[in-house]
Amino acid sequence: ELFGLVAEAVDWAERTGGAFDPRVGALVDAWDLRGEGRRPGPEALRAALRASGSGAFVLDRVAGTVTRLDPGAWIDTGAFGKGAALRAVGRLLEEARVHRAFVDLGGQVLVVDPREDAPRMADVAHPARRDSAVARLRLSGASAATTGGSERWVEVDGARVGHVLDPRTGLPVPAWGSVTVVSPDPLVADVLSTALFVLGPDAGLAWAHARTS
């Protein structure tokens, strides 16, 4: 089960051109995003990039194994773990024959309800003012995930550094706004809200439109 989740996440890294990539643990450490925060020097950033992405792990899909190639590499579940958890919850609810449920994990929700004529309403928070809503979603049998740069951050040299990193450059994504994705699959919603936020408003919209037209 664990290998399947990692392999699925790596597949999404390829589909998004690296805008989403779970193999960014070394970059998280370089910026100390789980601690007090720091700004890595050029060599430290280059070393973290070498320990990230496709060169950091080898997946053997026949044996079902993941081999780490760099001692500093690790897989960050921050951009797909919540979606994976909601997917598992949805399956458990289905097995238990629970037909109506609203599950909120903070930043992502799952609505289980077959009645399309009675959707559950969910607010989308303002990117900069978390206590204000900018939109309301009508959800039925779907999950909604939001990624932005205003809720989780560390302060480095007097400046805010968001928790979302661009795996391609190793740099934090500017807090330009937020992205909300709705999908029947919670993991897809989680992954794509991150990928589109990393791509930015222009490239993100272009990526999405190219796959929905």
Side-chain angles (χ1 to χ4, degrees):
E1 182 181 6
L2 178 59
F3 177 84
L5 284 174
V6 173
E8 187 175 359
V10 169
D11 287 343
W12 276 112
E14 296 175 359
R15 294 177 194 173
T16 60
F20 161 84
D21 197 321
R23 300 162 295 189
V24 293
L27 289 169
V28 172
D29 286 342
W31 287 91
D32 193 25
L33 295 183
R34 301 293 189 269
E36 297 182 357
R38 63 170 166 266
R39 188 175 301 278
E43 181 51 41
L45 186 59
R46 285 193 292 268
L49 282 168
R50 289 194 297 269
S52 302
S54 59
F57 295 90
V58 171
L59 274 66
D60 187 329
R61 296 176 186 264
V62 175
T65 60
V66 181
T67 303
R68 183 172 62 171
L69 301 180
D70 188 291
W74 56 277
I75 293 173
D76 182 10
T77 62
F80 75 96
K82 192 175 292 185
L86 282 174
R87 178 198 279 176
V89 168
R91 289 172 177 169
L92 289 172
L93 291 173
E94 183 178 2
E95 292 172 2
R97 298 183 180 181
V98 176
H99 302 298
R100 297 181 61 192
F102 182 84
V103 186
D104 186 351
L105 294 188
Q108 185 168 2
V109 299
L110 171 66
V111 175
V112 177
D113 195 334
R115 304 174 307 163
E116 295 185 2
D117 60 337
R120 177 67 182 254
M121 307 303 293
D123 290 337
V124 177
H126 189 285
R129 300 187 301 275
R130 306 299 299 175
D131 57 344
S132 301
V134 293
R136 301 203 78 193
L137 301 176
R138 298 165 59 90
L139 299 175
S140 178
S143 178
T146 298
T147 298
S150 65
E151 186 172 357
R152 291 173 53 196
W153 49 272
V154 294
E155 187 170 316
V156 180
D157 299 331
R160 286 189 177 187
V161 174
H163 73 288
V164 181
L165 299 173
D166 186 336
R168 303 166 299 178
T169 64
L171 301 177
V173 179
W176 59 266
S178 67
V179 173
T180 297
V181 173
V182 177
S183 172
D185 187 334
L187 187 140
V188 172
D190 197 4
V191 165
L192 289 186
S193 68
T194 300
L196 296 177
F197 180 71
V198 170
L199 286 170
D202 297 327
L205 279 174
W207 189 96
H209 284 313
R211 286 152 183 82
T212 56
S213 58

